[in-house]
């Protein structure tokens, strides 16, 4: 494998990235959600390199990225009217639809499932790579499996140096959280993973949407994951994360009682003032998108600073807050304190 330092590419090196992917290689590419580790979704050998580089469990399916609706028809065995309605409203953008897969999708990509998750990203770099290569790209988050997702090229270098064929240097990811995943593969639409497209927005198009039990709770360890982010420990820094549910006053009182060397706070803007531990303040309850954009950076920064315990003030699980809550409960391995 070529040393990563020789294949760290600028965003305009599209043709070189296309050659890598068409040759069966893997590359870290920016999307509007998080950086993705991309390979030709139709090449089982290339897809296997993603799992190896990430240390990803083999039964964790991958999302396939496309750049045109014509590709959707080739990759899904059935495309219901609801899928076209969602595409018209949210594509290109941070929404993945789970559909019955066509014969073109190898089991390596779908983790043996009869379905496949498909989305059309909006970031110009990955869209250009898909369009010029003609390849649908399997692209899970470009991080080591289980750790916080990567939202900058430097994050990818930190996690994947020496493990991939190229990392594309580009603008940071604007959404900051992985895509929303909704299943349209049978029965009522079901939200499998919340993200930048909220449950409320989905229901404006689809009507009632079921909330999978794994969104707010632990998935059955014996079950098969229908989509990424449902079954395994995800998004977790090296530090222990504890979620605190309550008012700002209750949060502050808890930290004052539990302050210790190696502790830090993840909180909303304004709450960091006068706290007895170092703090990263992100957004407000009224502006959760700011917390979403900075969440994974903050968790990674805590690790760089040697933080051992992170006390996170958890947002209400509504709107975009549902996606933040979903990421934080998994980062905390469900260590939650109701104040």
């Amino acid at each position: 494998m070529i040393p990563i330092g020789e294949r760290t590419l600028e965003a305009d090196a599209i043709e070189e990235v296309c050659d890598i992917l068409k040759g069966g290689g893997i590359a870290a590419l920016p999307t509007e959600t998080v950086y993705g580790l991309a390979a030709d979704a139709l090449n089982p050998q290339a897809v296997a390199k993603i799992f190896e580089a990430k240390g990803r469990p083999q039964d964790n399916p991958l999302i396939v990225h496309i750049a045109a609706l014509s590709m959707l028809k080739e990759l899904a065995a059935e495309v219901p009217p609801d899928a076209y309605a969602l595409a018209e409203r949210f594509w290109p953008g941070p929404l993945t639809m789970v559909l019955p897969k066509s014969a073109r999708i190898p089991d390596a990509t779908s983790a043996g499932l009869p379905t496949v998750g498909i989305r059309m990203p909006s970031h110009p770099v990955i869209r250009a790579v898909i369009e010029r290569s003609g390849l649908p790209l399997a692209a899970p988050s470009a991080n080591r499996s289980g750790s916080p997702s990567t939202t900058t090229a430097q994050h990818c270098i930190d996690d994947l140096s020496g493990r991939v064929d190229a990392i594309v240097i580009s603008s940071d990811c604007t959404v900051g959280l992985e895509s929303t995943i909704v299943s349209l593969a049978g029965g009522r639409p079901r939200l499998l993973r919340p993200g930048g497209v909220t449950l409320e927005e989905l229901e404006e198009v689809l009507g009632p949407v079921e909330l999978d039990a794994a969104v707010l709770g632990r998935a059955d360890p014996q079950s098969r994951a229908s989509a990424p982010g449902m079954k395994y420990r995800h998004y977790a820094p090296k530090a222990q994360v504890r979620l605190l549910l309550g008012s700002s006053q209750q949060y502050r009182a808890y930290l004052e009682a539990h302050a210790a060397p190696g502790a830090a706070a993840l909180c909303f803007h304004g709450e960091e003032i006068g706290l007895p531990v170092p703090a990263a303040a992100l957004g407000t309850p009224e502006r959760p998108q700011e917390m979403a954009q900075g969440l994974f950076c903050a968790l990674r920064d805590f690790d760089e600073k040697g933080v051992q315990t992170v006390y996170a003030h958890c947002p209400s699980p509504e709107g975009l807050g549902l996606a933040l809550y979903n990421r934080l409960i998994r980062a905390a391995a469900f260590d939650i304190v109701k104040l």
Side-chain angles (χ1 to χ4, degrees):
M1 180 177 290
I2 299 172
I4 190 63
E6 297 176 20
R7 302 303 288 274
T8 301
L9 306 175
E10 296 299 325
D12 59 359
I14 301 300
E15 296 302 331
E16 188 170 356
V17 176
C18 290
D19 288 343
I20 290 170
L21 296 172
K22 288 191 287 188
I26 57 176
L29 302 175
T31 83
E32 75 279 16
T33 57
V34 298
Y35 257 78
L37 182 53
D40 177 0
L42 307 183
N43 181 338
Q45 290 73 37
V47 168
K49 295 178 182 179
I50 291 177
F51 285 90
E52 181 179 2
K54 284 176 60 70
R56 183 182 178 94
Q58 295 291 323
D59 63 345
N60 202 3
L62 304 179
I63 292 172
V64 178
H65 295 66
I66 63 175
L69 277 178
S70 58
M71 300 177 77
L72 175 64
K73 299 174 184 178
E74 297 172 0
L75 302 176
E78 302 174 26
V79 184
D82 279 347
Y84 288 112
L86 288 173
E88 182 177 2
R89 173 78 179 271
F90 300 114
W91 277 4
L95 176 67
T96 295
M97 292 184 273
V98 174
L99 300 165
K101 72 175 185 178
S102 76
R104 297 193 69 197
I105 299 293
D107 284 346
T109 299
S110 68
L113 295 170
T115 56
V116 62
I118 302 174
R119 92 173 183 99
M120 185 186 295
S122 63
H123 196 289
V125 171
I126 191 170
R127 287 182 62 80
V129 171
I130 296 169
E131 290 167 355
R132 295 192 199 179
S133 69
L135 300 175
L137 297 180
S141 55
N143 58 322
R144 296 302 303 276
S145 189
S147 65
S149 296
T150 50
T151 55
T152 72
Q154 186 59 52
H155 293 165
C156 298
I157 294 169
D158 293 342
D159 271 23
L160 298 175
S161 179
R163 293 176 170 270
V164 300
D165 297 305
I167 292 173
V168 174
I169 307 297
S170 184
S171 57
D172 295 348
C173 307
T174 55
V175 176
L177 299 177
E178 300 81 358
S179 63
T180 300
I181 304 178
V182 61
S183 175
L184 303 177
R188 180 179 291 182
R190 184 160 49 100
L191 180 63
L192 304 181
R193 182 179 72 187
V197 174
T198 68
L199 174 62
E200 293 82 358
E201 289 173 326
L202 290 176
E203 293 189 327
E204 289 176 4
V205 177
L206 300 174
V209 174
E210 293 181 353
L211 194 66
D212 193 279
V215 170
L216 296 175
R218 298 177 187 268
D220 181 351
Q222 303 304 317
S223 66
R224 298 190 68 180
S226 302
M230 295 181 69
K231 182 178 177 182
Y232 295 99
R233 185 173 183 258
H234 283 274
Y235 324 117
K238 297 173 185 175
Q240 175 189 354
V241 178
R242 173 167 291 174
L243 264 62
L244 305 180
L245 308 182
S247 68
S248 292
Q249 294 78 9
Q250 290 170 321
Y251 178 73
R252 179 178 299 276
Y254 187 94
L255 263 62
E256 288 173 350
H258 292 80
L266 179 66
C267 59
F268 297 115
H269 284 305
E271 292 181 330
E272 77 279 16
I273 299 171
L275 287 180
V277 297
L282 303 174
T284 67
E286 296 74 30
R287 298 196 300 274
Q289 66 274 12
E290 295 178 15
M291 179 173 275
Q293 290 167 350
L295 175 62
F296 292 136
C297 281
L299 293 178
R300 286 176 172 269
D301 286 345
F302 284 141
D303 278 346
E304 289 184 7
K305 295 173 181 176
V307 170
Q308 298 172 349
T309 305
V310 177
Y311 295 111
H313 195 189
C314 196
S316 174
E318 300 167 352
L320 186 58
L322 178 63
L324 287 162
Y325 185 87
N326 170 268
R327 302 312 191 272
L328 284 168
I329 59 176
R330 280 162 173 74
F334 295 89
D335 182 0
I336 304 170
V337 177
K338 295 182 179 180
L339 303 176

